Amino acid sequence: MIRKRAILTVLAMVFALGFISLAKAETADPFPSWNDGKAKQSIINFVTTVTNQGSPDFVPVGERIATFDNDGTLWVEQPMYSQLLFAIDRIKVLAPEHPEWKTKEPFVSLLKGDVEGALAGGMKSVGEIVMATHAGMTTDEFETIVTDWVATAKHPVTKRPYTEMVYQPMLELLAYLRANDFKTFIVSGGGIEFMRPWTESVYGIPPEQVVGSSIKTQFEIRDGHAVLVRMPELNFVDDKEGKPVGINLHIGRRPIAAFGNSDGDLQMLQYATDGTGARFGLIVHHTDAEREWAYDRKSSVGHLDKALDAATENGWTVVDMKRDWAIIYPFQKK
Amino acid sequence: MIRKRAILTVLAMVFALGFISLAKAETADPFPSWNDGKAKQSIINFVTTVTNQGSPDFVPVGERIATFDNDGTLWVEQPMYSQLLFAIDRIKVLAPEHPEWKTKEPFVSLLKGDVEGALAGGMKSVGEIVMATHAGMTTDEFETIVTDWVATAKHPVTKRPYTEMVYQPMLELLAYLRANDFKTFIVSGGGIEFMRPWTESVYGIPPEQVVGSSIKTQFEIRDGHAVLVRMPELNFVDDKEGKPVGINLHIGRRPIAAFGNSDGDLQMLQYATDGTGARFGLIVHHTDAEREWAYDRKSSVGHLDKALDAATENGWTVVDMKRDWAIIYPFQKK
């Protein structure tokens, strides 16, 4: 009898605990890494409005499309874009197979560690670096290359894996939107196949919800197997005016919310916020030189000038990283 | 109004089917419109295997990707592709604004009702018809044009709305796959923006899960609004070798199952069935001249020759429409 009572007591406790955790689920702050303020409140207000069936601005589940830039919006883009660092690492790995690179720009500079010199040739140099490192293999092979790189590469300043250099407040925002039946997409100037191997585990965004820049691919039967070969030819640049084009091609609906951090996101925000009903635009403003980086109108990486002015004109939310974010990275969680 | 109601009725039927299959998932036959036989059994065997956690061929939910051709696989493509009939209808509507068409091919033949004569110029004529009817407006405007056409146009033989000329057994197959946590995609040679306005209500496939051929679009601020303008320039042909390319670009994973009916689907089936683990390929063979149409190796529309041979070589399921399908269209349900 005593044992039975003990068991019942334990059961009651378990139930009570269950109840408490359920009750907490209703009230818990979905944004523990955001400081209270206008930015956080504007997100909650928007989502509350479009998910409220009594509201004239109610949006059916299927139309709750939110698009996110990646570099500088979901993860770090300083001191330089991660994909450029990936390309540089690949050049080093591939150099033994390319003796001609010892005397050929932009490779000779890159191999000496002189990134600035390598990029002095502008878009032509960037193109040569991209094609030398991103083309010539099958899509399956490229996926393995990216997966291996992401698993081992370290950020040049913090020495942490790139997948830890993501913004915890933005992870909370992604989760909050999905909990409210939004479908979250990445719409990035970065390579679509550079992102897809890790976006699901890091952001919870599956490959089919990633839009990005791409090179052409070609179907082949190779050694009896059906493969796609990556060709050294540009297919699509998913940046600036290209972002609404990419959104329309891949998603086929106008997003009701868009999130970016640079002038490369201006047209995406214009496109998303110009539809009927409630709309939401947000710019992440990098203002925290101590915990992250501070840059905007004068930066070449993550250049934010016109889109910052447009945010004021259009009533988009501007996140002041220093003021609005309690922590920056997941590893800073207590 | 009656036509609208007819579409709504079909919609209600599709929804009802979804509900019934959910409620009776354990016991009810998910394929009431399929006759018992190898074809039906092969589908059930495949899905049972990949969803069985104890099976070495178990596939996690996110990787359960199935791709479907549209014309001739999900809806009728005889006596000619629906999108061509749409284009012809548009030429008639637009003719008063284009007096020059009275003396210019392929328009003069089309306006006289001589489709064969209009298409005598081959791909050049097709291109001119497509660009005259599919370009020059915003994507929002084109969506309205397609929506209005689909709501009113009738199939030339049966005089029924095109959205009723879909294959009931394939609707059951789509529902069955989704009930087993597959994500279903359309991968069609048809225009991506010609399909998206109605695929969700007719097939339960949302716009972001439709892959197709496309023309280029351009971002503009027009009268103060952010719009995409459809340009008279080809962007992508999602047919034959293009299908695996389109799948990779839009979905970013290799499907584990693919469904087609013509040589235009051969490469998609090769690509989908060549991965590791259990794979499934299916060809709808149009063998029923009484209830639908009978055509394969000698037909220009839905030409099925190499893919039929490949089905035998690769062990893909071939649906004999006459033998395997108890009914063809939703309106034949008892």
Side-chain angles (χ1 to χ4, degrees), chain B residues 35 39 72 77-78 167 261 283-297 299 302 304 308 318-326 328-329:
Chain B
N35 292 322
E77 62 184 348
Q78 296 285 6
Y167 305 132
N261 78 299
I283 296 272
V284 174
H285 191 187
H286 294 262
T287 53
D288 196 329
E290 273 183 41
R291 296 186 302 170
E292 207 243 1
W293 277 266
Y295 58 99
D296 46 36
R297 297 185 195 269
S299 177
L304 174 65
L308 197 54
V318 176
V319 169
D320 181 328
M321 197 180 260
K322 189 172 181 176
R323 186 193 62 202
D324 290 320
W325 288 359
I328 309 287
Y329 307 111

Side-chain angles (χ1 to χ4, degrees), chain A residues 79-130:
Chain A
M80 65 177 99
Y81 297 116
S82 307
Q83 195 168 359
L84 184 56
L85 292 159
F86 163 76
I88 293 170
D89 284 351
R90 290 300 300 161
I91 294 284
K92 288 175 193 160
V93 170
L94 296 168
E97 298 165 36
H98 294 274
E100 75 279 11
W101 287 354
K102 283 180 190 157
T103 53
K104 195 184 165 197
E105 288 294 0
F107 307 102
V108 55
S109 289
L110 264 194
L111 290 169
K112 281 187 215 150
D114 176 12
V115 176
E116 219 167 297
L119 299 184
M123 281 313 290
K124 187 172 171 288
S125 299
V126 171
E128 283 184 80
I129 294 165
V130 168

Side-chain angles (χ1 to χ4, degrees), chain B residues 62-82:
Chain B
E63 292 167 28
R64 293 180 199 164
I65 304 286
T67 54
F68 288 79
D69 170 57
N70 184 39
D71 296 304
T73 299
L74 295 179
W75 78 350
V76 165
E77 62 184 348
Q78 296 285 6
M80 65 177 97
Y81 297 115
S82 307

